[in-house]
Amino acid sequence: MGMETQTRFRVDKSKCIKCGKCLDTCSGLVLEFGADGYPGMIPFERFGWRGCWRCQHCLSVCPQGAISIFGKRPEDSLPPAPKEMGQYMESLVTNRRSCRRFLAKNVEGEIVSSILKAMEAAPTGGNAMSVEYTVIDDLDRVDEIWQEAYSVMEEKASKHIYTHSFSDFYYKKMKESEKSLRKDDLLFCGAPHLFIAHEKCTGKWAEDSKANCHIATAYFELLCNAHGLGTTIMSYSAEVLNELAPAARRMLGIPEDHYTGLIVGFGYPEIKYARGVQKERKGKIHRYSEEKKKK
C-alpha cells in the first residue's frame, strides 16, 4: 500500500469548486490538480519532511467541505471560533492566576476528558505529534506520589542537598510559605491532580521536544482556566522528581529518556479571584510600528 493511499485522501467532486485552497495550504506539497481539474495527492516517500504532514489543513480549509482525509469527515469538525473569542481570550489570559490552594476534591471526569480531547490538537514542531500527556486525575494517587517525593525532599534538605536551582535560602522561603500560601505543601501546593507533557528528548530534535512540552503545558493550563479550574505551573516539583526522588518519578510511569521540565497542578480552587491584576511591561514590548512613529 502506497503512502498516499494510507492518507485516504478523498475529494467529493459534486462539491469541489476547484478553488485550489487545499493546494495553497498543503505543508507537504503533495497535492496537485489532476487532468480533470480536481485536486489529488501525488505519491510520496513517507510522512513528514518527505511527504504528507498529517496536518489536515486540506480538510479544514475547503470552503465546500469537499475533502476528507484519514477517514475524517469535514462535517465532524468544529466550526471556526466566534468573533467575540478574541475578547474572551484576552479576559482569560488577563485574569488567570497561579493557584496554590486547592479543594481536596477530584475534578469531574467529563471536564478532564473534554480538556484532553482539545489537547489532541495542540501544535507540535513539524506536526510530529510525538509529545505525550500523563495525567494523574485521582487525588489519592497524587498523595501517594507526594508522600514518596516529599519525604525524600525533606531528608535531602536536612543535609543541605537540593535541586540545581535551590539553596538553603530558597528552601527556607518555600517552607515559610507552607504556613499560609501553600497550605502545608511546598511541593505540589496541595493540587489534587497533575499534568505532565513529556517527550523522548534525544538527537538533533531534542530542543524541539522540549518546546513541544512547553507549548502543550501552556495550552493545557489555559484550557483548565477556561473551565474554571485552578492551575499552577511547577518547575521545582519537576526538579525534585527528576533529581532527588526517582522512585516518585517512576510512579508516574514516564519513560526515563523523556523530558519532563514542567508539571501542572490543577483542580478546583479553594480561593477564587474577584478581578484581574494590572501588570505593565513598558520597555519589554518592542513593536516596530510604534517605534517607527517615535523617530
Side-chain angles (χ1 to χ4, degrees), residues 62-99:
C62 180
Q64 302 300 111
I67 293 177
S68 63
I69 190 169
F70 300 115
K72 309 296 184 182
R73 304 182 304 170
E75 57 265 33
D76 295 331
S77 292
L78 291 174
K83 292 188 298 182
E84 58 270 23
M85 186 55 67
Q87 294 178 325
Y88 294 154
M89 283 300 299
E90 290 172 9
S91 178
L92 177 66
V93 171
T94 302
N95 285 279
R96 66 141 308 278
R97 304 265 71 79
S98 292
C99 178

Side-chain angles (χ1 to χ4, degrees), residues 165-225:
S165 70
F166 261 52
S167 64
D168 283 335
F169 171 79
Y170 294 118
Y171 194 78
K172 180 181 178 182
K173 293 293 290 187
M174 291 281 275
K175 289 297 290 184
E176 290 175 356
S177 73
E178 283 189 323
K179 300 173 183 177
S180 57
L181 175 67
R182 299 180 192 276
K183 201 177 179 180
D184 300 321
D185 180 12
L186 69 83
L187 185 62
F188 293 153
C189 301
H193 302 322
L194 305 176
F195 168 90
I196 307 98
H198 53 95
E199 183 174 336
K200 187 174 182 179
C201 188
T202 57
K204 65 179 180 179
W205 302 112
E207 292 305 313
D208 277 23
S209 298
K210 294 178 182 179
N212 289 338
C213 293
H214 295 161
I215 291 170
T217 297
Y219 270 63
F220 181 82
E221 200 264 353
L222 284 175
L223 280 166
C224 282
N225 279 270

Side-chain angles (χ1 to χ4, degrees), residues 106 134-143 145 191-196 251-253 264 266:
N106 283 330
T134 289
V135 183
I136 311 299
D137 55 354
D138 179 83
L139 60 87
D140 291 332
R141 183 56 175 171
V142 171
D143 185 63
I145 297 169
H193 302 322
L194 305 176
F195 168 90
I196 307 98
M251 293 172 72
L252 295 169
V264 180
F266 69 101

Side-chain angles (χ1 to χ4, degrees), residues 101-107 139-140 183 190-193 267-270:
R101 296 180 70 95
F102 297 87
L103 296 178
K105 176 182 178 182
N106 283 330
V107 174
L139 60 87
D140 291 332
K183 201 177 179 180
H193 302 322
Y268 294 115
E270 179 186 284

